Amino acid sequence: MHFRFPLALLLTAACAATAGAGTVFEFETKELDGPEPILGTVQMSTAGSNTRLEIISVSSDEAGGLIFHGGRKEMIILDHLQGHFITMNQEQINDMAAEVDSALSQMRDSLEDMSPEERALAEQTMEQQYRTTEAAEAPPPVVRNLGSHGEVAGVPCRNFEILANGRKVRELCVSRWQDLEGGQETAAALRGVVEFFESMRQAFAGSDAMEVFDRQQELFGLMGDLDGYPVLYRDFTPGGRMIRETRLTAARQRDIGADFFNPPPGYQREELPQGMN
């Protein structure tokens, strides 16, 4: 299952033990980094400590979702096209991190019995799989307050831009939590999601796959530093070309039942992919 929508939204996503008041944010997305724009919608629903994200492509048949149960720290990934789902919890993350550490330890022990040529090849393989050498640390992004204001879907927001190595890579219009319908409750629910993905990033800090979580943590950090949620953001290449736009279209409160945070009836559970369990 592969979705081309911004993972920052896919992973910023979910569950109440009983029916009760919840909050729904709806977004429009545009992916512009291909031959044709990819248009889609994202719906993020929160209730209590839980969050659910639904992603639908208007341009293709892609459709999926993510549920995060804050109370038991469990993530459920939904594949609507296949009618499948997989789950991941904190214990599994810890087990996977231990497997990675064990594999690295065994590979390092085996280096002692290798010829120089074999050792060079093995070290290259380790570096490709686990990034065992530390790269030069990039300077942190610079957040620039543009001092101007905007409005998205009737919600007031403040304009910022993010600079990396002196070049603009992102534009944000950030709404204060109190200006969003149900914003304070949503902020509380998303804290659990932040902590869960931070534990994943820490557990697999050397893996190429975790680069996406570094980007996630940048967005999460900005949410905390700017005390709000980006109701509009645009990503740019270093050359200044916009490649992605995400825009809030609606924010509202409604009753959300507990079943909403479970996989749909009839969906089949699948095991984690090989190497992730």
Coordinates of all heavy atoms in Angstrom, one line a residue, residues 211 234 266:
E211 N 13.8 8.9 7.7 CA 13.9 10.3 7.2 C 12.6 11.0 7.2 O 12.5 12.2 7.5 CB 14.6 10.4 5.9 CG 16.1 10.0 5.9 CD 16.7 10.1 4.5 OE1 16.0 10.3 3.5 OE2 17.9 9.9 4.4
R234 N 2.5 25.1 2.1 CA 3.0 24.8 0.8 C 4.5 24.4 0.9 O 5.2 25.0 1.7 CB 2.9 26.0 -0.1 CG 1.4 26.5 -0.3 CD 1.4 27.6 -1.3 NE 0.0 28.1 -1.6 CZ -0.5 29.2 -1.1 NH1 0.2 30.0 -0.3 NH2 -1.8 29.5 -1.4
G266 N -15.6 -6.6 8.5 CA -15.2 -7.4 7.3 C -13.7 -7.2 6.9 O -13.2 -8.0 6.1

